[in-house]
Amino acid sequence: MTQKIVLNVVGMHCSSCAMSIDGELEDTGRVISASTNYAAQKTIVTFDPDLITPAEIIERIRTVGYEATLIE
């Protein structure tokens, strides 16, 4: 079973920032897909909740230099 979340992301300055976030998340091997929109400052993440939690996803985004919060 997969889950999808939407995150607000702060600190992006260009489309390369968005690609860095997507790459970081997809490289974990635990995220099915990540799509970051620089203009909207949002990331949509599809993942298996048995493999990774939303908190871990947010932490991975922080490791590449951006702040993320879950949109409820």
Side-chain angles (χ1 to χ4, degrees):
M1 180 164 95
T2 63
Q3 186 175 343
K4 186 180 286 189
I5 57 172
V6 180
L7 303 165
N8 279 324
V9 180
V10 178
M12 291 187 287
H13 303 292
C14 61
S15 60
S16 291
C17 295
M19 290 189 305
S20 293
I21 291 169
D22 292 347
E24 175 67 21
L25 294 176
E26 291 172 354
D27 285 350
T28 66
R30 298 181 288 164
V31 168
I32 296 163
S33 69
S35 177
T36 302
N37 183 311
Y38 158 69
Q41 301 285 293
K42 296 196 185 327
T43 299
I44 300 171
V45 184
T46 304
F47 62 100
D48 181 340
D50 291 333
L51 301 177
I52 192 167
T53 66
E56 290 172 313
I57 291 168
I58 289 169
E59 185 56 34
R60 293 301 293 234
I61 292 171
R62 286 186 180 139
T63 65
V64 289
Y66 309 99
E67 289 298 317
T69 55
L70 187 61
I71 297 175
E72 307 221 19

